[in-house]
Amino acid sequence: MIWIVLLFLFSGICSFAQVTVGEKKLNPVRTDTIDGWEKGGLVNINFTQVSLTNWAAGGQNSISFAGYSSLFANYKKGKSAWDNTLAMQFGQVNQANAGFIKSDDRLQLTSKYGRDAVKNWYYAALLDFQTQFTVGYSEPNKSSTTISDFMAPAYFLGALGMDCKPSTNFTFFVAPVTAKLTVVNDDGLAKAGAFGVEGQELDENGTVTNESFDNTRLEIGGYLRIMYKRTIMENISYQTNLGLFSNYANNPANIDVNWDNVLNMKVNKYIIASIITSLIYDDDINIAETNKNTGSQDILGPRTQFKYVLGVGFAYIFGDK
């Protein structure tokens, strides 16, 4: 029922957006009506170094680097449209010569195919894949517990629905039929039931009573994806992507949230300042939190995850705008 309501709500928004564009004549020729490929992207690399000698205030030497890349390849022919995006983030930091550890890590590939239905609306299918490049640890050293790795977890999402594209700056995709597959390709993490897969059964003393476990988990539900981008002023651009997933069979009101924001401020042709934020909530991911009452006992449960990255460095923008 909620997906029907959302469909009607955003159909009104899409219609209003098209009227606004027409009235103000801001977009007399829609770029998505031009057949062929549009390809391009942005590559951003940031580097920082702190070196201290006899520094009375204290501190530690450190070296860090971080990279961000956003690529796209979109194809339009007749009534069909095929949009593809690839986002990659990776960062390392070395503090007090303790060795490099990971500070940022993400890999996401999205492909969406649509075919004209009615004005601004497409019958659409979407595929999305997310994981990370390297291993992650519970503490900032490589001798601590492994809590993630490449393909542990990995998320595969396939969705069928309707896509609204009133302009090149806004898209709204709603899919009442969606399959989400979680893969944990690490037996140690899978045995512990990490990221929502079925782990080994333990008794109250922590003894294994059932050694069977799963490396995958399949969920069927509904999916909503919104993308909006705009140029705030010359050399300053903003883009936001919001994805919502509801599992029909298990706590459908506890919606998984993935919300990304990117603000780019171009200094010159090759220098750019970026602010990147990511907010994640997944009801199936338990994260340990220290009990404030005892100061030691960990409390496991789903948490709101938030990441903030501020960087200034070399940037290369290429391809179509």
Side-chain angles (χ1 to χ4, degrees):
M1 186 62 173
I2 185 173
W3 301 106
I4 298 176
V5 174
L6 289 171
L7 185 61
F8 277 103
L9 174 64
F10 278 90
S11 64
I13 294 176
C14 290
S15 299
F16 175 78
Q18 179 66 21
V19 171
T20 302
V21 169
E23 288 177 348
K24 295 186 177 181
K25 298 182 180 180
L26 295 177
N27 191 15
V29 179
R30 287 182 55 184
T31 57
D32 62 356
T33 61
I34 301 174
D35 286 353
W37 283 98
E38 287 186 343
K39 296 176 287 184
L42 177 148
V43 177
N44 185 13
I45 300 174
N46 306 312
F47 175 82
T48 62
Q49 180 179 12
V50 177
S51 179
L52 305 175
T53 302
N54 300 324
W55 194 252
Q60 293 180 331
N61 297 336
S62 67
I63 298 175
S64 67
F65 70 89
Y68 168 76
S69 178
S70 178
L71 313 176
F72 71 90
N74 301 331
Y75 182 74
K76 172 73 178 177
K77 185 174 178 61
K79 294 184 176 181
S80 299
W82 184 27
D83 298 338
N84 303 276
T85 60
L86 174 63
M88 297 176 286
Q89 295 172 235
F90 190 76
Q92 293 260 295
V93 60
N94 185 343
Q95 189 168 6
N97 296 319
F100 280 96
I101 58 173
K102 182 170 66 174
S103 59
D104 196 10
D105 194 357
R106 185 181 188 185
L107 171 63
Q108 181 176 10
L109 175 64
T110 304
S111 182
K112 181 173 62 176
Y113 173 81
R115 187 168 179 83
D116 277 343
V118 294
K119 192 173 185 179
N120 299 326
W121 283 93
Y122 293 78
Y123 303 111
L126 180 143
L127 295 174
D128 185 84
F129 166 72
Q130 295 187 53
T131 188
Q132 58 186 16
F133 290 101
T134 62
V135 63
Y137 301 97
S138 59
E139 300 293 338
N141 60 73
K142 297 181 180 180
S143 62
S144 57
T145 304
T146 298
I147 59 174
S148 62
D149 205 343
F150 177 71
M151 296 296 291
Y155 299 100
F156 296 87
L157 188 142
L160 296 174
M162 299 291 292
D163 190 26
C164 175
K165 299 172 69 175
S167 73
T168 56
N169 293 330
F170 175 76
T171 64
F172 163 75
F173 175 73
V174 58
V177 180
T178 304
K180 178 183 177 183
L181 178 67
T182 301
V183 177
V184 181
N185 193 32
D186 182 292
D187 287 348
L189 294 173
K191 290 177 181 180
F195 306 104
V197 299
E198 188 69 29
Q200 293 179 331
E201 294 181 3
L202 306 176
D203 60 20
E204 59 184 9
N205 297 318
T207 303
V208 176
T209 58
N210 188 342
E211 294 187 355
S212 64
F213 62 94
D214 294 326
N215 290 95
T216 62
R217 184 190 185 202
L218 179 64
E219 302 172 78
I220 303 298
Y223 181 68
L224 173 69
R225 185 185 182 94
I226 299 172
M227 185 282 292
Y228 174 73
K229 60 182 179 180
R230 65 169 296 180
T231 299
I232 299 175
M233 59 181 64
E234 186 178 2
N235 294 330
I236 299 179
S237 62
Y238 169 74
Q239 179 168 326
T240 183
N241 294 277
L242 174 65
L244 305 174
F245 175 78
S246 173
N247 184 346
Y248 291 147
N250 185 25
N251 298 322
N254 294 345
I255 297 175
D256 295 343
V257 179
N258 283 271
W259 185 20
D260 298 319
N261 295 275
V262 179
L263 179 67
N264 285 322
M265 295 162 284
K266 188 176 180 181
V267 178
N268 57 37
K269 187 176 180 180
Y270 296 112
I271 302 298
I272 193 170
S274 300
I275 298 176
I276 303 172
T277 67
S278 296
L279 185 148
I280 297 175
Y281 179 83
D282 191 328
D283 199 56
D284 301 313
I285 299 178
N286 291 323
I287 298 174
E289 183 178 66
T290 301
N291 189 327
K292 295 181 180 179
N293 296 324
T294 63
S296 59
Q297 183 180 0
D298 288 337
I299 303 174
L300 284 175
R303 316 282 180 197
T304 299
Q305 306 170 55
F306 184 75
K307 180 176 67 177
Y308 169 85
V309 179
L310 170 63
V312 179
F314 169 82
Y316 178 62
I317 301 173
F318 59 94
D320 298 304
K321 185 175 180 180

